[in-house]
Amino acid sequence: MNIHRINPSRRWSDITLFNGIAHFVEVPEGDLGADIRGQTAQVLAQAELALAKINSDKSRLLSVTIYLTDFVNLAAFNEVWDAWFTEGTAPSRACVKAELANPGYLVEIAFVAAAGEGFLD
């Protein structure tokens, strides 16, 4: 089986795929002054773009790990998260409180998804 790397650099690849399974991480890349709802919306919009690059979509997410800087933001995060999914399509998930690399980040999400056609080998 081949390993596919999308936009690889010395430090990371935007998406890494093996055997039809994709791994990628998203952080807020827009307004870091936004509250948790705004940053979560940014991350989820970016995830949709990443999924489109591998002929997939959010209904094909298998698992996520959510990193929050403060659990006081969990309820607001969940509001945006829950609204993003159609009933019955949410992946398994873990949620961790963490210090993130950029102090402006309130959330970071690591995604695992089933890729679409063209990424199965």
Side-chain angles (χ1 to χ4, degrees):
M1 294 283 169
N2 293 321
I3 297 174
H4 299 273
R5 299 180 201 286
I6 297 176
N7 297 326
S9 70
R10 184 174 185 94
R11 187 160 291 159
W12 70 74
S13 295
D14 287 347
I15 305 170
T16 304
L17 299 105
F18 179 73
N19 201 22
I21 305 298
H23 300 262
F24 63 97
V25 176
E26 296 294 344
V27 297
E29 293 181 352
D31 179 11
L32 292 186
D35 65 7
I36 188 65
R37 287 178 181 87
Q39 286 197 18
T40 301
Q42 290 174 50
V43 167
L44 298 179
Q46 291 161 204
E48 288 194 45
L49 294 173
L51 289 162
K53 290 179 184 177
I54 57 166
N55 300 323
S56 191
D57 62 58
K58 62 188 172 187
S59 73
R60 295 176 58 82
L61 287 171
L62 303 172
S63 176
V64 299
T65 303
I66 301 156
Y67 302 93
L68 294 175
T69 57
D70 193 332
F71 280 146
V72 74
N73 290 325
L74 182 58
F77 171 87
N78 281 335
E79 288 174 16
V80 178
W81 177 262
D82 293 346
W84 193 52
F85 287 102
T86 302
E87 183 70 31
T89 64
S92 62
R93 74 179 219 182
C95 190
V96 179
K97 181 180 174 187
E99 182 178 356
L100 301 178
N102 183 325
Y105 296 160
L106 300 177
V107 61
E108 181 172 332
I109 304 176
F111 296 87
V112 179
E117 293 297 317
F119 295 97
L120 302 178
D121 67 339

